[in-house]
């Protein structure tokens, strides 16, 4: 049994035992970890406690994760008066997709982001974990005599683990991450199918990729950046997820330790995806209405001028880092 935060995990299980109805929620614009952790835990609870009503309820979805075949309920249709809510992968409640979740009788937070906006009657936060799916797996592993983890549950959780850890590449990946991933793999996951769904793209998307390689910019000190404006999104028929994924095209440039993707939002604001290696960029994201992890954060630019200011700040940060550190590449 994994003893880390054992008392908190026991308290969460005890709350789950007490309630007949449990509602799970996660952050807006869900990624693999948000979908995997909410539905992985939900499916386990449904199998472990067949008499309980376990609902995942959020207001938005990400189409690229449709292959996981999950379904969610409209937050407006739920009576929250006697509900236990579990909110996963959501640093602050302002980013929760279910805006009514605070109406629940009691609320539990399970997260791996830095705890800058604490909430919940019980809060289990481990900001050094590679994913919340890893934490949920730890939870199921710890209480495996009571909580079911079959191939369906394992597939959902494994999806979140591999996506949020960059396929076990990011620095948060530990021996414990891989041991827990091994626990899931032993349950029978169709990994060929999973990775086909995660990697394969339409032909037009590759055309977009070649266009991006042509258009991407680099600052004097090595910040790579790209602006995927509305016209570009329309030209290549991109979904919002596809436009956003362009940030990953810039991750392999030598000397480019910070890379930024700016994506036009339908409301006129600009989504900023901020990535780095070796140096932390979450403070940069915080300065521009965002936040996140040391090497992966998100922000918002409200104008082209703000976008330019962010690029200039990133360039200054990188200049300073390169001048004072060795061993980066
Ligand atoms: P993204 O580029 O949107 O995938 O974001 C990378 C990481 O930063 C994710 O872990 C998000 O949870 C976090 N993040 C993104 N946007 C924000 C924001 N506005 N405020 C706080 N954290 C954010």
């Amino acid at each position: 049994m994994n003893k880390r935060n054992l008392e908190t995990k026991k308290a969460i299980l005890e709350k789950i035992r007490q309630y007949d109805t449990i509602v799970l929620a996660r952050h807006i614009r869900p990624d693999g970890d948000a979908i995997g952790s909410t539905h992985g835990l939900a499916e386990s609870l449904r199998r472990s406690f067949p008499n309980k009503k376990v609902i995942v309820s959020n207001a938005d979805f990400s189409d690229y994760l449709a292959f996981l075949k999950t379904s969610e309920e409209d937050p407006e249709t739920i009576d929250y008066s006697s509900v236990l809510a579990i909110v996963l992968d959501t640093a602050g409640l302002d980013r929760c997709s279910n805006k009514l979740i605070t109406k629940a009788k009691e609320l539990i937070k399970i997260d791996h982001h830095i705890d800058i906006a604490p909430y919940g009657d019980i809060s289990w936060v481990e900001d050094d974990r590679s994913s919340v799916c890893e934490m949920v797996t730890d939870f199921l592993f710890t209480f495996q005599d009571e909580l079911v983890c079959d191939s369906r549950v394992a597939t959902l959780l494994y999806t979140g683990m591999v996506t949020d850890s960059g396929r076990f590449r990011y620095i948060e990946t530990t021996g414990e991450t891989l041991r827990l991933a091994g626990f899931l793999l032993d349950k029978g996951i169709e990994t060929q199918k999973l990775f086909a769904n995660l990697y394969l793209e339409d032909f037009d998307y590759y055309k977009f990729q070649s266009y991006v390689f042509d258009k991407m910019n680099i600052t004097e000190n090595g910040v790579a950046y790209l602006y995927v404006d509305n016209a570009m999104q329309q030209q290549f028929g991109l979904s919002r997820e596809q436009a956003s994924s362009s940030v990953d095209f810039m991750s392999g440039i030598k000397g480019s330790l910070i890379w930024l993707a700016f994506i036009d939002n339908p409301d006129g604001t600009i989504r900023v995806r901020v990535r780095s290696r070796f140096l932390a960029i979450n403070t940069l994201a915080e300065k521009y209405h965002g936040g996140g992890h040391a090497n992966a954060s998100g922000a918002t630019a409200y104008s082209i001028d703000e976008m330019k200011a962010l690029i200039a700040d990133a360039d200054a940060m990188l200049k300073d880092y390169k001048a004072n550190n060795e061993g980066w590449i």
Side-chain angles (χ1 to χ4, degrees), residues 95 113 271 273 275 289-293 296-298:
R95 295 197 78 235
H113 297 91
R271 178 181 182 190
R273 306 194 80 193
R275 299 290 184 269
H289 329 285
H293 306 275
S297 285

Side-chain angles (χ1 to χ4, degrees), residues 243-272:
S244 303
S245 70
S246 57
V247 70
D248 296 326
F249 302 162
M250 296 177 283
S251 65
I253 307 167
K254 273 188 182 170
S256 188
L257 278 55
I258 301 178
W259 54 105
L260 311 166
F262 298 89
I263 302 112
D264 269 346
N265 282 323
D267 66 1
T269 61
I270 304 169
R271 178 181 182 190
V272 193

Side-chain angles (χ1 to χ4, degrees), residues 267-285:
D267 66 1
T269 61
I270 304 169
R271 178 181 182 190
V272 193
R273 306 194 80 193
V274 187
R275 299 290 184 269
S276 70
R277 59 180 173 271
F278 300 113
L279 77 166
I281 38 66
N282 52 308
T283 50
L284 176 71

